[in-house]
Amino acid sequence: MVEQVIRVPLAVGEDFIIQKNRLGQGGKRLCVVTGTHGDELEGQYVAWRLASLLQQHPEHLKGTVDIYPATNPLGISTMTRGIPQCDLDMNRTFSDNEQGAFSEYVAARLMADLVGADVCLDIHASNIYLREIPQVRINENTARRLVPLAQHLNMDFIWIHPAATVLESTLAHSLNAMDTPTLVVEMGIGMRVTRAYGDRLIAGIFSLMAHLGMWDAPVPPVSPPIVSTDGHVSFLNAPCPGLFFPSRAHASHVEEGEELGIIADPLTGEVRERIASPAAGLLFTLREYPVVYEGSLLARVLGGSV
């Protein structure tokens, strides 16, 4: 059943509306949230397919699934990352302050609707510059509680971040602080849908639901993820401006010293730099947008536990 979570009048005679699709009733509650960044569309496919599959087999659902496909509907409509009218990143405004500005009020009302869920999935894509393998990102302070849940999601990689790198105003951090277990999924690329990644996550969601006792039909086995911390991740940044052309495929295994790509100078026809992998491991992030400047992120390699 489609329900209205938030309605706020806008100056142009329209309303800012966030809706959810509630499937099932009673029992444990799973919330699937996406669309916080309007240029991240991978979760739109997941929301559509998940709702469709649950409605095809309601007899197997032994709990409540709330799907929030567009928590930043204006951003999705205009293909902008933040909320267009105030140009704010919605995922930096989550708190319980309903007396604040427009974005803070919307974020607080959304938080109030999510708090108390047994598990919340916050689905993101990368931006238009980088492509990511399917992964779950977790604050080290919540790892003990969340890693066992994340292992059911059929993702390649669980990345445990130090607490200092996690912004306190994000949805996941705020919900976890309010004792609502929240997992951040990141996969694919901005402004695109990678259906194979979405299908993998949907299989993982059903596995998680079965683990929680919310789904009583058989589910396929999921692949065990790599669990790692920042200590196993190498970052490659551009040493100079130019055009980056990768020479290895995304999600491939690379060797230490192996060439990952070049930075070319279209003016002179020269190769300005050859980018080598600093470690052997999995190339889990790779730049998609070719124009780079000094310091631009080109790739991340997961070594150590691979």
Side-chain angles (χ1 to χ4, degrees):
M1 177 176 64
V2 175
E3 301 179 12
Q4 184 175 287
V5 178
I6 300 167
R7 178 186 289 267
V8 181
L10 299 175
V12 293
E14 298 181 351
D15 292 331
F16 181 95
I17 300 172
I18 295 179
Q19 297 175 297
K20 69 179 179 183
N21 188 1
R22 169 160 285 187
L23 299 121
Q25 186 175 0
K28 291 186 176 180
R29 179 181 173 222
L30 171 68
C31 294
V32 178
V33 180
T34 191
T36 303
H37 292 139
D39 60 351
E40 298 178 1
L41 304 179
E42 301 283 7
Q44 302 295 297
Y45 175 77
V46 174
W48 167 63
R49 284 294 294 150
L50 180 61
S52 176
L53 292 169
L54 290 173
Q55 289 175 105
Q56 289 175 30
H57 301 286
E59 70 278 9
H60 295 302
L61 180 57
K62 307 303 177 184
T64 303
V65 178
D66 284 338
I67 302 174
Y68 304 73
T71 54
N72 177 9
L74 290 179
I76 291 176
S77 297
T78 58
M79 200 59 68
T80 55
R81 184 173 180 82
I83 300 175
Q85 74 175 56
C86 49
D87 196 28
L88 284 176
D89 185 336
M90 188 175 177
N91 207 31
R92 302 295 183 269
T93 61
F94 282 100
S95 70
D96 58 359
N97 179 23
E98 293 191 12
Q99 307 304 315
F102 168 79
S103 59
E104 292 176 294
Y105 172 78
V106 168
R109 289 289 305 276
L110 179 59
M111 283 269 296
D113 202 69
L114 292 166
V115 165
D118 291 277
V119 179
C120 179
L121 298 182
D122 182 18
I123 303 175
H124 291 263
S126 186
N127 53 38
I128 63 170
Y129 302 102
L130 302 167
R131 182 178 294 277
E132 299 279 1
I133 65 171
Q135 61 196 265
V136 183
R137 296 184 178 181
I138 294 174
N139 181 333
E140 66 180 3
N141 290 342
T142 57
R144 183 183 297 273
R145 184 181 193 184
L146 296 184
V147 168
L149 298 172
Q151 288 175 326
H152 289 275
L153 287 179
N154 205 29
M155 300 286 94
D156 289 325
F157 175 34
I158 298 173
W159 188 357
I160 301 173
H161 280 280
T165 68
V166 179
L167 296 174
E168 294 185 359
S169 53
T170 62
L171 176 63
H173 186 280
S174 299
L175 285 176
N176 280 311
M178 299 177 76
D179 203 32
T180 299
T182 303
L183 299 161
V184 177
V185 173
E186 182 145 351
M187 59 187 183
I189 186 171
M191 297 189 184
R192 298 291 185 271
V193 169
T194 312
R195 294 177 63 177
Y197 288 173
D199 289 336
R200 286 189 52 190
L201 178 57
I202 291 164
I205 291 173
F206 279 102
S207 173
L208 177 61
M209 289 170 59
H211 170 72
L212 295 171
M214 297 177 61
W215 187 255
D216 68 1
V219 295
V222 298
S223 301
I226 300 166
V227 181
S228 190
T229 65
D230 271 5
H232 293 133
V233 175
S234 299
F235 294 74
L236 287 88
N237 298 88
C240 60
L243 294 178
F244 175 67
F245 298 119
S247 52
R248 290 303 312 268
H250 180 236
S252 61
H253 287 266
V254 298
E255 299 299 327
E256 183 177 355
E258 184 176 355
E259 184 178 294
L260 302 184
I262 62 169
I263 296 178
D265 186 340
L267 177 63
T268 66
E270 297 176 340
V271 174
R272 298 198 65 184
E273 292 286 347
R274 296 186 182 275
I275 308 302
S277 177
L282 176 65
L283 183 61
F284 75 92
T285 303
L286 185 62
R287 190 169 184 88
E288 186 83 9
Y289 189 75
V291 177
V292 299
Y293 300 94
E294 184 177 353
S296 296
L297 181 62
L298 302 178
R300 298 187 188 102
V301 176
L302 173 63
S305 60
V306 179

